[in-house]
Amino acid sequence: VAVMLFYQIGELFQSYAVNRSRQSISAMMDICPEYANIEEDGKLKQVDPDDVEIGTEIVIKAGERVPLDGVVVSGTSFVDTSALTGESVPREVTEGSEIISGCVNGSGLLKVRTTKEFDDSTVAKILELVENASSKKAHVENFITKFAKYYTPIVVCAAVVLAFLPPIILGGGFAEWIQRACIFLVISCPCALVISVPLGFFGGIGAASKQGVLVKGSNYLEALSEMKTIVFDKTGTLTKGEFVVSEVIPNGWEKEGLLEVAALAEGYSDHPISAALKKAYEEAELGELSMDRVEQAEGIKAKIDGRVVYAGNAKLMEEKGVEYEPCTVPGTVVYLAAEKEFLGTIVISDTVKPEAKRAIAQLKQSGVKKTVMLTGDRKDVGEAVAESLGIDEVYTDLLPGDKVDKVEALLGELGEKEKLGFVGDGINDAPVLSRADIGIAMGSMGSDAAIEAADVVLMDDNILKISSIMRIAGKTLQIVHQNIVFALGVKVLVLILGALGMANMWEAVFADVGVSVIAILNSMRTLKVK
């Protein structure tokens, strides 16, 4: 009766802990949209999101969940992305904004042109990842499963030997030894380990999902606690991936005039550099630009007000015989010339994420020994960003294949129990994310390929959360190891006492279900990790 009573109490605590953890994970599961609105003959018709094709215009009313990824065609609203990203502040979307499935539309009516089928949408990918998370076990969990597999038959055989061998050898009645064997069996039950260890990891994954971070398995939680080297891709990870004009150096011109010439020359190009120049001088009227214009690898040739203007790199200036002043400022340098006259220089650079420097500092506080940055950018640009953020090592001018080679080399430098993490967001990062011990991808703006290849997904792209998840992982492993040491320690002690006849059934009950209840309560602390 005591065993059953304690076991029921243990079950109650376990179900409470599992439910609490499930609630934080189910916030992600609840993001699944039930229908999509399509306009037919002036009326809205609800259809299954699975049946909506790419390029279809759907209508999302206030309070409805976004069913598919797409681009806003008309309307303005604020969308709640908290279920996906853990970010409580609503995000504004207007015409032309990208919108991801699983968000909740706030107040306005939105018309969205879909860009993905439901099976490829953000929400479907996340649901699939969450469902598969529990199938990937940590080494500790695998050890406990194997341990229980061999441990249980061994202790049953030991109990049989204890019941019959001593009376046969020593003589006397069987009753006392059979009772000792029963006590031995009750003590030896491995409930505390088999229940509390997976429960601890499950709680850790739940605590991570509360932060808007999806960990695809407890093995990755274990690896995060051992991460000593972290490698970052630059663009879109440490920087915003948005080019802006950072410096204007005119040669006898006014800054505004130089910007206007650059904006006109780049007017019809959709290159990110051109977009940055146009944004810096939005007043430029493209109608003034002659269509006599050639775009090439080195830059652009255009006719403005009857004069031929060149906008491009140093190679273009040399090719056209323009005497220019070389610029050493880090960034993408655009030289401007009209005929043979050098007009000046505009420097365009990617903006560093405001939280990046703090994220690097916090990672070092969390136990990371080495931070590394890999980029395809020029040496001066990469080194300037790395220096401003406090990154230990930087490798520049890399192609996607080179990044894999660098990660391979860094993996070779690690100690036996040390792990390497890679953080990236682009399609070209997928091979590196797969090769690293822990691949961490940007879930909000990252590519599908990167999210698929990663082991951990940051739903709101906030790299500050990496150190938070490392702390959660470390605390989870600490609690799991406490449970193993406590459970095995008490069991071994009481098993010896039981075999010697110094422990009665009450000690046996405590060593089994009592230890289980304490271990379950300890595992519940993973839910509370800040």
Side-chain angles (χ1 to χ4, degrees):
V1 170
V3 170
M4 288 190 289
L5 182 67
F6 273 113
Y7 198 79
Q8 284 300 310
I9 292 168
E11 288 274 287
L12 183 72
F13 285 131
Q14 185 191 337
S15 61
Y16 171 77
V18 169
N19 287 336
R20 280 287 306 278
S21 190
R22 271 219 177 95
Q23 279 166 19
S24 53
I25 295 172
S26 67
M28 288 190 171
M29 303 302 278
D30 289 342
I31 61 180
C32 192
E34 294 173 6
Y35 61 87
N37 298 317
I38 292 178
E39 200 169 336
E40 278 187 8
D41 303 322
K43 291 183 181 178
L44 289 182
K45 179 185 173 186
Q46 289 187 357
V47 296
D48 192 314
D50 263 327
D51 300 332
V52 179
E53 294 179 0
I54 295 171
T56 307
E57 282 195 12
I58 58 171
V59 177
I60 304 157
K61 292 186 275 188
E64 286 186 336
R65 201 169 287 282
V66 178
L68 296 136
D69 293 11
V71 176
V72 177
V73 177
S74 66
T76 303
S77 182
F78 283 89
V79 292
D80 178 2
T81 62
S82 57
L84 288 171
T85 66
E87 181 59 56
S88 56
V89 180
R91 188 164 65 90
E92 187 180 12
V93 290
T94 56
E95 192 177 324
S97 301
E98 287 187 9
I99 193 166
I100 53 175
S101 50
C103 304
V104 177
N105 184 19
S107 53
L109 185 79
L110 294 174
K111 271 194 178 180
V112 173
R113 184 181 294 109
T114 61
T115 53
K116 289 177 187 171
E117 290 180 348
F118 182 73
D119 288 345
D120 296 325
S121 66
T122 304
V123 70
K125 289 273 170 65
I126 291 167
L127 294 174
E128 189 184 333
L129 297 176
V130 172
E131 282 158 12
N132 294 335
S134 59
S135 64
K136 293 173 179 172
K137 291 188 177 180
H139 292 309
V140 180
E141 275 191 271
N142 287 329
F143 162 73
I144 295 301
T145 309
K146 287 175 187 170
F147 175 84
K149 186 179 173 184
Y150 296 109
Y151 170 84
T152 306
I154 288 168
V155 293
V156 170
C157 292
V160 172
V161 170
L162 187 64
F164 297 106
L165 203 61
I168 292 167
I169 295 171
L170 302 173
F174 282 87
E176 184 190 344
W177 288 102
I178 288 172
Q179 187 181 6
R180 283 191 192 185
C182 289
I183 290 168
F184 182 89
L185 266 183
V186 172
I187 296 164
S188 64
C189 180
C191 290
L193 294 177
V194 175
I195 294 169
S196 67
V197 172
L199 183 63
F201 281 112
F202 193 59
I205 290 171
S209 67
K210 272 185 188 173
Q211 299 293 319
V213 180
L214 177 62
V215 181
K216 294 186 187 178
S218 50
N219 53 335
Y220 303 122
L221 208 59
E222 187 177 37
L224 277 165
S225 70
E226 298 169 349
M227 185 167 70
K228 297 300 174 194
T229 299
I230 187 161
V231 182
F232 293 92
D233 174 54
K234 183 178 82 72
T235 308
T237 305
L238 294 171
T239 64
K240 292 180 180 178
E242 298 170 2
F243 289 98
V244 293
V245 171
S246 56
E247 202 147 341
V248 180
I249 310 162
N251 183 33
W253 277 56
E254 286 187 1
K255 286 186 179 182
E256 287 291 306
L258 191 65
L259 277 171
E260 184 180 12
V261 169
L264 286 168
E266 303 273 357
Y268 290 101
S269 174
D270 54 6
H271 192 280
I273 290 171
S274 304
L277 288 166
K278 286 183 283 186
K279 193 176 178 183
Y281 194 82
E282 289 173 353
E283 294 84 1
E285 293 179 19
L286 300 183
E288 296 174 31
L289 176 62
S290 161
M291 293 307 290
D292 177 13
R293 178 182 166 285
V294 180
E295 191 170 339
Q296 55 200 67
E298 291 82 22
I300 284 171
K301 170 192 172 185
K303 192 173 273 189
I304 302 169
D305 295 333
R307 293 180 81 192
V308 176
V309 171
Y310 300 105
N313 59 18
K315 200 172 177 184
L316 181 68
M317 296 296 110
E318 286 161 10
E319 193 182 295
K320 301 303 175 188
V322 177
E323 288 187 19
Y324 68 99
E325 290 174 20
C327 180
T328 55
V329 178
T332 301
V333 178
V334 178
Y335 296 107
L336 286 142
E339 308 292 351
K340 301 283 182 186
E341 182 194 349
F342 177 57
L343 305 179
T345 308
I346 296 174
V347 181
I348 293 159
S349 57
D350 192 358
T351 48
V352 174
K353 287 183 177 179
E355 70 272 16
K357 189 169 184 176
R358 194 150 54 98
I360 300 295
Q362 284 188 9
L363 282 166
K364 289 180 178 177
Q365 288 168 10
S366 301
V368 171
K369 290 179 183 174
K370 187 196 283 185
T371 54
V372 182
M373 188 178 85
L374 307 180
T375 178
D377 272 350
R378 296 196 330 263
K379 192 167 185 275
D380 59 341
V381 177
E383 287 179 350
V385 171
E387 192 180 339
S388 68
L389 297 178
I391 288 173
D392 303 321
E393 290 180 17
V394 58
Y395 299 96
T396 56
D397 297 307
L398 299 175
L399 296 169
D402 300 332
K403 290 181 181 180
V404 178
D405 295 340
K406 286 292 175 197
V407 166
E408 291 275 7
L410 290 163
L411 282 165
E413 296 171 14
L414 293 174
E416 192 182 336
K417 275 274 187 181
E418 295 179 343
K419 294 283 189 285
L420 177 141
F422 178 83
V423 192
D425 74 321
I427 291 169
N428 60 357
D429 294 327
V432 207
L433 286 162
S434 302
R435 183 61 195 91
D437 294 317
I438 313 116
I440 304 169
M442 303 293 170
S444 172
M445 298 302 289
S447 73
D448 290 349
I451 293 165
E452 194 74 33
D455 310 312
V456 177
V457 182
L458 306 176
M459 293 313 300
D460 64 350
D461 296 356
N462 187 349
I463 53 175
L464 276 170
K465 289 188 177 173
I466 301 171
S467 56
S468 303
I469 302 311
M470 281 185 72
R471 283 194 289 277
I472 288 172
K475 192 71 175 173
T476 300
L477 263 291
Q478 190 183 332
I479 288 168
V480 165
H481 289 141
Q482 284 169 3
N483 285 341
I484 293 169
V485 171
F486 173 69
L488 288 179
V490 171
K491 280 188 187 296
V492 169
L493 177 65
V494 184
L495 273 173
I496 295 166
L497 293 174
L500 297 172
M502 296 167 68
N504 61 23
M505 194 56 86
W506 284 110
E507 277 90 353
V509 168
F510 172 75
D512 176 26
V513 286
V515 168
S516 292
V517 170
I518 293 167
I520 288 165
L521 287 170
N522 194 38
S523 291
M524 286 167 66
R525 293 195 301 125
T526 56
L527 296 165
K528 303 281 186 187
V529 177
K530 298 295 180 191

